[in-house]
Amino acid sequence: MPVPSASTQNAVDTAERRAKRAERRGFAVGAIGVVVAIAALIPAFRGEAREQRGDADDRKEKKAEDALEAGLPLKLSPGATYYGPGWYVSSTSYGNDQLNGQPFKQDGGAAVPSWAWLAKNWTPLSSTGVAVSVESQYKTTVLVQALKLRSVDCHRPVPKGTLLQPPTIGDGGDGAPAVDMGMYVDANRPVTRKVQGLTLGAPYTDQVALDKGDARELRIIFNTQRRACTFQADLLVNSKGKQYRLPLPADWSNGKPAGYTFTVAPPSKAYQSRYVVSRDDQLIAVPESDIEWSGQDPTYTGNGELNSW
């Protein structure tokens, strides 16, 4: 077999190199084309992903909205403008000045005497109540209409116990006025009434209209005139052609309902012992002559032996 000349071999080598370069250029051009094509598709992919996320967010929002619409029409939370009764009564007679001179501990927990001790062992005199903030959850208007009692159990007044005026609580400052309504718990036919201070007046005929997201504070007073009562109460509201009964918490703890049973006692002037909390937070025993009554409301006159008042 003849050996190719040098010039012929050079020509072959050159042709092979040119072929390889052309192949590489073709591959590079192809790769660039693929990259360009992929780059062109990225915005579409991203747009589709955004659309899918948007659809998922919409579905999540609609699910949450449907859950609200399927639930109660109002969200309840603690109000701030009800400070409790001015006087309490106990079936225990703390006679012979058993508590005289003891400090009333504002944050004393179960210490005696303290707010916790008072709440656990004493009954509000003449009136009790609660302040509650309500926020509308429905797209359609929610109407707050009235109160309704249930599980009412009334009996004779507390006999010959102890009367106590605890320290006062400061007011909550200025703010949007609360909606006031109340009831006589021991009435033969309890109806929702208008409120002036702690006094109940004519039947309540107003309606509070709340659109979605609207909030309002309700201050509710329950009075008794003749009998001591325990009871539960509902707030009657109307929306979407349906009436709802929302249980009213009697007490709150950390922003959540701590109980639904209210207690209230009527006035009984035959108390065996009477105490008031002085300005320096001391429990002071006072004589009967220092308590004046105006209907259901006792007033400490300070005309007797309490010198530190």
Side-chain angles (χ1 to χ4, degrees):
M1 182 176 178
V3 178
S5 65
S7 58
T8 303
Q9 185 64 44
N10 288 339
V12 171
D13 292 343
T14 300
E16 287 180 349
R17 285 195 297 271
R18 287 177 179 174
K20 288 179 179 179
R21 284 200 296 270
E23 183 180 351
R24 287 197 296 269
R25 283 197 299 271
F27 177 79
V29 170
I32 292 172
V34 171
V35 170
V36 170
I38 292 174
L41 291 174
I42 286 176
F45 290 153
R46 288 177 176 172
E48 185 177 351
R50 282 195 298 269
E51 186 175 341
Q52 289 176 349
R53 287 196 299 270
D55 290 344
D57 290 341
D58 290 343
R59 289 193 296 271
K60 185 177 180 181
E61 183 176 342
K62 186 177 185 304
K63 185 177 180 180
E65 197 169 76
D66 290 344
L68 287 177
E69 290 287 329
L72 295 175
L74 295 178
K75 178 183 178 182
L76 274 59
S77 58
T81 59
Y82 178 73
Y83 304 110
W87 294 83
Y88 287 80
V89 296
S90 173
S91 57
T92 301
S93 176
Y94 293 96
N96 301 319
D97 297 346
Q98 293 177 31
L99 300 175
N100 192 46
Q102 294 191 30
F104 190 98
K105 299 177 181 178
Q106 300 276 0
D107 56 353
V112 177
S114 67
W115 281 113
W117 164 77
L118 190 72
K120 183 177 181 179
N121 298 285
W122 296 67
T123 302
L125 178 73
S126 299
S127 68
T128 189
V130 68
V132 59
S133 293
V134 295
E135 180 182 345
S136 177
Q137 305 289 290
Y138 284 179
K139 293 179 182 178
T140 54
T141 301
V142 178
L143 298 177
V144 180
Q145 296 176 311
L147 303 169
K148 190 74 172 180
L149 301 180
R150 53 189 168 84
S151 303
V152 179
D153 181 17
C154 295
H155 49 84
R156 290 185 177 183
V158 175
K160 297 185 180 298
T162 301
L163 178 68
L164 169 64
Q165 182 187 55
T168 58
I169 301 176
D171 64 69
D174 296 330
V179 176
D180 290 332
M181 59 179 67
M183 269 187 167
Y184 286 115
V185 179
D186 59 348
N188 293 330
R189 183 175 175 268
V191 296
T192 308
R193 296 183 177 274
K194 297 179 179 179
V195 177
Q196 293 291 335
L198 294 177
T199 302
L200 303 186
Y204 184 90
T205 56
D206 298 333
Q207 292 190 123
V208 182
L210 300 172
D211 294 327
K212 185 175 178 62
D214 288 348
R216 195 72 184 270
E217 183 175 73
L218 309 179
R219 185 168 49 218
I220 299 165
I221 305 296
F222 298 106
N223 281 13
T224 184
Q225 295 179 303
R226 304 180 310 275
R227 295 184 294 169
C229 300
T230 62
F231 61 96
Q232 296 181 359
D234 296 331
L235 186 66
L236 300 185
V237 301
N238 194 291
S239 186
K240 298 188 289 191
K242 181 179 177 181
Q243 188 177 77
Y244 299 83
R245 296 179 61 152
L246 279 62
L248 285 171
D251 195 15
W252 301 87
S253 176
N254 298 322
K256 297 181 179 180
Y260 291 91
T261 300
F262 294 86
T263 62
V264 64
S268 173
K269 300 179 184 179
Y271 292 105
Q272 291 184 340
S273 51
R274 296 150 297 279
Y275 290 87
V276 297
V277 178
S278 66
R279 289 175 181 168
D280 55 357
D281 283 348
Q282 299 290 316
L283 246 69
I284 306 297
V286 298
E288 185 176 1
S289 59
D290 282 358
I291 306 294
E292 289 187 359
W293 291 82
S294 175
Q296 297 193 104
D297 301 321
T299 301
Y300 172 71
T301 63
N303 295 326
E305 61 190 24
L306 181 56
N307 297 319
S308 62
W309 189 263

